[in-house]
Amino acid sequence: MNREITQPRARAGQFSIQLSATPRGARLARLLATEQLRSWGLPLETPALVVAELAANAVSHGHVEGRDFRLLMTLAGDVLRVGVVDTRGDLLPCVRAPETDDESGRGLVLVAALAVDWGVEHGPSPRKTVWAEVAVVGA
């Protein structure tokens, strides 16, 4: 009788891409992230929402004319770290409760609700990285 010996699949990987700081670049970030998540065999919905919100914020609030943003994803075990690097290190994100009739302002509230943790790293100047860690347990 043959028994196949199986070992747990190594759960590690990195993905990085530079995109234009435009609405099209933000949409492309989500699409490319979704394809990378699929290739890693990970769930798509929560990480894709986090990527979409962070990329949209980089385009809306971190945009400097002529400069791009970078999407980073690092998988380590059961945690996916999503980072978006923009060139507005002087403008820090903040979570605020939007008024009920506001059409925007809920992105980081959503990220904070979906992520295990999130934060901001500075540098090198003039850059900052807004990151969020998402649990991908059991995927």
Side-chain angles (χ1 to χ4, degrees):
M1 172 186 261
N2 283 340
R3 290 190 187 186
E4 187 176 322
I5 299 174
T6 59
Q7 294 190 10
R9 185 174 58 157
R11 292 183 51 106
Q14 292 185 336
F15 175 78
S16 175
I17 190 163
Q18 188 167 329
L19 299 161
S20 64
T22 62
R24 182 174 183 263
R27 284 190 306 274
L28 189 55
R30 181 181 174 136
L31 291 172
L32 293 172
T34 300
E35 288 308 310
Q36 185 61 50
L37 293 166
R38 187 174 283 118
S39 77
W40 284 337
L42 297 178
L44 305 177
E45 187 175 338
T46 299
L49 283 171
V50 169
V51 167
E53 292 301 334
L54 294 182
N57 281 351
V59 168
S60 298
H61 307 293
H63 175 71
V64 173
E65 190 65 37
R67 295 186 181 165
D68 298 334
F69 75 95
R70 178 168 292 278
L71 169 65
L72 310 164
M73 294 193 312
T74 304
L75 176 62
D78 291 334
V79 176
L80 175 71
R81 183 179 175 111
V82 175
V84 174
V85 182
D86 67 46
T87 54
R88 287 293 309 266
D90 59 320
L91 186 60
L92 299 179
C94 64
V95 176
R96 65 173 177 81
E99 298 296 324
T100 56
D101 57 347
D102 284 350
E103 293 183 13
S104 63
R106 293 174 178 79
L108 284 178
V109 173
L110 181 61
V111 168
L114 295 174
V116 174
D117 196 11
W118 76 277
V120 180
E121 293 175 354
H122 298 280
S125 185
R127 292 175 280 216
K128 73 172 178 297
T129 303
V130 181
W131 58 269
E133 293 180 343
V134 179
V136 290
V137 177

